Amino acid sequence: MKNALLCMAILLSFVTNGQKADAIVYYNKGLDKSFLKDQYGAIADFTKAIELDPSFANAYFTRAREKFRLKD
């Protein structure tokens, strides 16, 4: 039983880390789009990063910055 719980905990940590890694990918895509002046695309990518990792403070900040640029 202990082994099964340990395996489940390890698998859960991999899933969580995978979601955070995916969030970073979307965040970086958002930064690229921001640099190219594609604010709407950047906002969409930052929003996806936040969905994958709700504790991703930089994604909230940069999304807010892009919305501010659009006067939204």
Side-chain angles (χ1 to χ4, degrees):
M1 182 66 171
K2 284 185 179 181
N3 287 340
L5 291 175
L6 179 62
C7 288
M8 287 174 53
I10 290 170
L11 286 173
L12 182 59
S13 71
F14 283 129
V15 169
T16 303
N17 288 336
Q19 288 174 333
K20 289 186 181 198
D22 290 343
I24 292 169
V25 169
Y26 277 98
Y27 177 76
N28 287 333
K29 288 168 74 174
L31 290 177
D32 290 341
K33 290 178 182 176
S34 175
F35 179 75
L36 296 171
K37 307 289 187 221
D38 177 11
Q39 276 81 24
Y40 292 107
I43 290 168
D45 286 338
F46 295 138
T47 299
K48 184 64 176 176
I50 291 166
E51 289 172 3
L52 293 169
D53 182 6
S55 66
F56 198 166
N58 285 345
Y60 284 101
F61 174 79
T62 49
R63 181 178 70 173
R65 185 187 65 202
E66 295 305 316
K67 287 186 171 203
F68 178 78
R69 288 180 178 166
L70 292 172
K71 297 183 180 12
D72 181 12

